[in-house]
């Protein structure tokens, strides 16, 4: 058998999805490893996926709901904020995990060949377990407040796809940048906090002035959060908030793949 020479890619190239599929076992292993590493030697284990967003919601309820009297569109503020924190925590967690994925696995990058995109993908997929577990709290709140979701739940998979596209797109961009620019991980903490207040997590979209809404709705997480609230609270799905952000999410995803592939050739040199 003749040896295969692997050459670095040059320029803007498409993602080789066939190659990614061949390494699906590695993706599965790294995803499982990420889940185990997060809860290794932890007393409460996966319960942290419930405790963290729940306590954050309680703090928001006291500060913004009870003290600041932020409008919650006529629903209990604790339910209002948790339905936003649920997808937001997944999004913010994937940014942090994916941005550090290449640096944390620099030993693999410099010694073994595999599609480098597997690393940020594994980081993002491993956070899905937290997302699923946090759903149990949503069920508890719905039962406690006697809220029955409506037909809008059938659109929930579309909202989750938008959430994944946004997370994957920005995650691939940040992971590629973090290898070459190590201060990305330091700026990320500030960036995540800033982005949270640029989305309707602690406030309603009705509080956004009319003249700013045409730019505000370009944030993909605005449509995701408002869509989650509408789906579980039996309200009309706010497509006018969703579809502009969905277009931006798709652009971020496509650009993220191209940018990651372009930067892939320097990963082993600077990791």
């Amino acid at each position: 058998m003749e040896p295969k020479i692997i050459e670095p890619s040059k320029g803007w190239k498409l993602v080789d999805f066939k190659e990614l599929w061949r390494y699906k076992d590695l993706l599965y292993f790294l995803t499982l490893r990420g889940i185990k590493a997060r809860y290794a030697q932890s007393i409460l284990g996966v319960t942290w996926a419930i405790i963290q967003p729940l306590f954050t919601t309680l703090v928001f309820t006291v500060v913004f709901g009870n003290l600041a009297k932020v409008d919650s569109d006529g629903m209990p503020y604790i339910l209002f904020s948790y339905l936003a924190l649920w997808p937001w925590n997944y999004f913010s967690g994937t940014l942090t995990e994916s941005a550090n994925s290449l640096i944390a696995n620099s030993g693999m990058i410099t010694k073994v060949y595999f599609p480098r995109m597997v690393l940020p993908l594994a980081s993002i997929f491993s956070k899905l377990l937290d997302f699923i577990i946090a759903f149990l709290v949503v069920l508890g709140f719905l039962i406690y407040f006697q809220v029955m979701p409506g037909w809008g739940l059938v659109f929930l998979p579309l909202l989750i796809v938008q959430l994944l596209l946004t997370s994957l797109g920005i995650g691939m961009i940040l992971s590629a940048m973090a290898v070459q620019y190590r201060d990305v991980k330091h700026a990320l903490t500030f960036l995540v906090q800033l982005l949270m207040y640029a989305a309707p997590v602690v406030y309603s979209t009705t509080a956004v002035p009319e003249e700013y809404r045409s730019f505000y709705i370009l944030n993909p997480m605005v449509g995701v959060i408002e869509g989650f609230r509408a789906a579980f609270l039996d309200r009309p799905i706010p497509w006018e908030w969703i579809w502009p952000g969905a277009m931006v999410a798709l652009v971020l995803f496509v650009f993220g793949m191209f940018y990651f592939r372009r930067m892939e050739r320097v990963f082993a040199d600077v990791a």
Side-chain angles (χ1 to χ4, degrees):
M1 176 182 285
E2 296 183 1
K4 181 179 179 181
I5 300 175
I6 302 173
E7 297 180 351
S9 60
K10 296 180 180 180
W12 299 88
K13 288 192 174 183
L14 290 170
V15 174
D16 190 345
F17 290 103
K18 290 184 179 179
E19 185 181 46
L20 276 176
W21 179 251
R22 288 198 299 269
Y23 284 84
K24 61 183 182 298
D25 292 338
L26 177 62
L27 176 60
Y28 171 78
F29 168 76
L30 292 175
T31 300
L32 194 61
R33 188 191 68 172
I35 294 173
K36 291 180 178 179
R38 188 177 304 117
Y39 301 112
Q41 297 180 332
S42 173
I43 297 176
L44 298 178
V46 295
T47 311
W48 283 111
I50 295 177
I51 293 175
Q52 182 181 359
L54 185 57
F55 272 78
T56 304
T57 301
L58 292 174
V59 172
F60 283 175
T61 300
V62 173
V63 175
F64 296 102
N66 296 340
L67 298 180
K69 303 296 182 182
V70 174
D71 181 30
S72 58
D73 292 338
M75 68 186 81
Y77 190 89
I78 191 169
L79 178 59
F80 172 85
S81 59
Y82 190 86
L83 285 174
L85 275 171
W86 179 31
W88 175 259
N89 278 350
Y90 174 78
F91 172 69
S92 61
T94 57
L95 294 191
T96 304
E97 293 281 344
S98 58
N100 296 322
S101 61
L102 296 177
I103 298 174
N105 294 279
S106 58
M108 291 179 59
I109 293 176
T110 55
K111 295 180 176 64
V112 182
Y113 173 77
F114 59 93
R116 307 315 192 202
M117 196 173 288
V118 167
L119 293 174
L121 285 176
S123 299
I124 289 171
F125 289 155
S126 66
K127 294 293 291 183
L128 281 173
L129 178 62
D130 291 359
F131 181 78
I132 295 171
I133 294 174
F135 175 62
L136 298 176
V137 180
V138 175
L139 292 177
F141 279 140
L142 293 178
I143 294 172
Y144 179 80
F145 291 108
Q146 297 181 355
V147 176
M148 179 64 69
W151 287 102
L153 278 181
V154 300
F155 299 109
L156 190 62
L158 294 179
L159 297 172
I160 294 176
V161 168
Q162 182 172 333
L163 174 61
L164 287 174
L165 288 179
T166 307
S167 301
L168 286 167
I170 300 179
M172 286 186 289
I173 294 171
L174 289 177
S175 62
M177 291 180 63
V179 174
Q180 196 165 15
Y181 309 106
R182 297 304 172 92
D183 50 352
V184 168
K185 66 178 181 180
H186 301 298
L188 191 57
T189 303
F190 167 75
L191 177 63
V192 168
Q193 291 178 344
L194 186 65
L195 288 175
M196 188 186 75
Y197 291 105
V201 176
V202 299
Y203 58 87
S204 171
T205 50
T206 57
V208 180
E210 194 73 36
E211 60 269 24
Y212 300 130
R213 290 187 182 181
S214 57
F215 298 100
Y216 185 70
I217 59 178
L218 295 178
N219 180 350
M221 290 305 297
V222 171
V224 170
I225 290 172
E226 285 300 317
F228 268 64
R229 284 172 175 158
F232 282 96
L233 299 174
D234 194 16
R235 299 187 174 189
I237 300 297
W239 296 110
E240 69 278 7
W241 295 98
I242 295 173
W243 74 261
M247 297 297 102
V248 174
L250 184 60
V251 170
L252 286 172
F253 176 68
V254 173
F255 176 78
M257 289 193 299
F258 275 98
Y259 180 74
F260 191 93
R261 284 283 289 168
R262 180 177 175 83
M263 298 298 296
E264 198 172 17
R265 68 183 187 274
V266 302
F267 288 167
D269 297 328
V270 298

